[in-house]
Amino acid sequence: MFKTSKFAPSKTLKKYSVLASLIAAAVTAIPAQATTLKISHVRPQGTVVDNDIKQLSEALKTSTDGDLKLRVYAANALGDYTLVQERISVGAIDMALQPASTSTDRRMQIGLLPFLANDWEEAQNVYGSGAPVREAMEELFEKQDITLLAAYPVYFGGISLNREAVDAGNPDSAKGIKLRVPPIKSFQLLADNVGYIGSPLPFSEAFTAVQTGVVDGVIGSGAEGYYASFRDVTKTYIPLNTHFEIWYLMINSERLDDLDENEQQALKAAAQQFESRRWQAAQVDQKENEQRLVEAGATIVEMTPAQLRKTADKVRATVWPQIIEDIGSDWSQPIIDKALN
């Protein structure tokens, strides 16, 4: 019987070798599929937030040669921010830019503590990169398997009314005005302690409640939010600096880990630039949105520094102790003390 030399491959071995080479070449020729991350946000298409996210997406595509992209879902298309945060936590949604949901962890109320910051410089020292409240929020998100990539300052909050204001700068005045408040304890206490009657309602019911007179106005947002969602029922806007609205660019931690090293670095670098640009633009945007409310027919009730200080002092004395107790004083007080120093 003919035996194949041990030094020469058989025809069968040659055949498999050629086939393996062809397969390897074919696999090499197939272009790698781009990674696409689904990102949710709360505002309609074409708003500043929507455009900023699209700019972030373009920056990622440029820095990764198209290997990393964002698919943007505007206007709560994937659910309201509370649901979206829960779905990011379990990996059902990749990313979001939105407020933090206090329903997942009531300690996240520390980011909504009213009058924690009184101007933009203080706000950046409290909520900016490396700041006390920012670090606390990063840790709380981490416990939900969420990585906080960037903060997005939006505005100082105020009050929208479908009527004339009553003694707006005096927190001790009982105004007889009923306000829709978000179903968050800090906002309920805030409204009640500056002379209003707080009525917790879901956001989805707020516009109709104002329109039909169930409530006289809204607290919990600012000029940008009121212009986007309530301009048709806003006759008066009070820029009371009630709270500092800050949103977070977040991603499921496992999804982040699944990205290759270059993609992770590109995403983190783009997020830092995204935040830096926003701190520069936010203050200007707030003034522009107040002007848009005026153009839509609203009257702005200007607050004096003395009125703002009086309101802040009362809220810190009456509201803060209750919130601090609710979220745990041993945990929250050192963070607040550090933020105020």
Side-chain angles (χ1 to χ4, degrees), residues 26-328:
V27 170
T28 304
I30 297 174
Q33 293 294 314
T35 301
T36 301
L37 301 173
K38 293 187 297 184
I39 182 168
S40 169
H41 73 83
V42 299
R43 292 291 186 250
Q45 293 185 17
T47 56
V48 170
V49 175
D50 187 63
N51 292 335
D52 283 350
I53 293 176
K54 289 174 181 175
Q55 184 178 2
L56 172 66
S57 181
E58 288 300 319
L60 285 174
K61 285 195 288 185
T62 299
S63 62
T64 62
D65 294 325
D67 290 339
L68 184 59
K69 302 177 182 179
L70 299 181
R71 181 176 297 152
V72 182
Y73 293 84
N76 293 317
L78 300 180
D80 70 19
Y81 73 94
T82 300
L83 176 62
V84 166
Q85 185 169 317
E86 293 172 357
R87 296 185 70 191
I88 290 174
S89 179
V90 299
I93 297 174
D94 300 319
M95 297 179 66
L97 176 66
Q98 61 180 36
S101 169
T102 61
S103 67
T104 57
D105 189 332
R106 69 177 186 273
R107 290 177 297 177
M108 285 190 164
Q109 289 183 87
I110 196 169
L112 292 171
L113 201 62
F115 294 99
L116 183 56
N118 295 300
D119 57 44
W120 287 92
E121 183 179 359
E122 288 184 8
Q124 192 157 6
N125 290 335
V126 171
Y127 300 98
S129 181
V133 172
R134 168 69 162 276
E135 291 182 340
M137 294 298 290
E138 288 175 351
E139 292 175 3
L140 294 176
F141 275 118
E142 187 177 359
K143 294 179 185 299
Q144 298 176 39
D145 295 321
I146 295 172
T147 297
L148 197 161
L149 294 169
Y152 188 88
V154 190
Y155 47 64
F156 278 95
I159 298 172
S160 163
L161 297 177
N162 195 19
R163 50 162 294 168
E164 292 183 356
V166 175
D167 211 3
N170 183 5
D172 298 323
S173 167
K175 300 165 181 62
I177 294 176
K178 195 170 185 179
L179 296 179
R180 177 265 173 180
V181 301
I184 300 171
K185 186 174 182 178
S186 59
F187 284 113
Q188 174 76 65
L189 292 171
L190 171 61
D192 293 345
N193 281 274
V194 296
Y196 295 92
I197 304 165
S199 178
L201 288 171
F203 179 81
S204 60
E205 299 176 17
F207 181 89
T208 301
V210 179
Q211 189 179 44
T212 58
V214 173
V215 295
D216 303 302
V218 183
I219 193 171
S221 189
E224 183 267 348
Y226 295 135
Y227 181 78
S229 303
F230 295 93
R231 62 180 175 269
D232 293 336
V233 292
T234 298
K235 293 182 179 178
T236 305
Y237 178 62
I238 307 169
L240 198 58
N241 289 3
T242 52
H243 71 291
F244 189 71
E245 182 82 2
I246 188 125
W247 297 348
Y248 299 98
L249 181 66
M250 60 186 79
I251 185 171
N252 173 266
S253 296
E254 291 185 15
R255 190 71 175 101
L256 178 62
D257 290 341
D258 287 341
L259 301 179
D260 66 38
E261 185 175 349
N262 290 336
E263 291 172 337
Q264 288 187 31
Q265 292 305 316
L267 180 57
K268 291 176 181 178
Q272 288 178 355
Q273 294 171 3
F274 175 78
E275 178 173 344
S276 178
R277 285 193 303 269
R278 184 57 197 168
W279 278 110
Q280 295 173 17
Q283 190 170 357
V284 174
D285 281 353
Q286 177 172 305
K287 291 296 183 184
E288 289 180 350
N289 281 301
E290 288 175 0
Q291 183 57 36
R292 289 189 180 102
L293 282 175
V294 171
E295 292 169 358
T299 298
I300 306 291
V301 180
E302 297 293 345
M303 295 288 97
T304 67
Q307 289 172 326
L308 291 175
R309 279 196 302 273
K310 183 177 181 179
T311 304
D313 289 344
K314 180 174 184 182
V315 169
R316 288 183 174 193
T318 59
V319 175
W320 279 23
Q322 297 181 69
I323 300 301
I324 289 170
E325 181 181 359
D326 185 51
I327 62 181

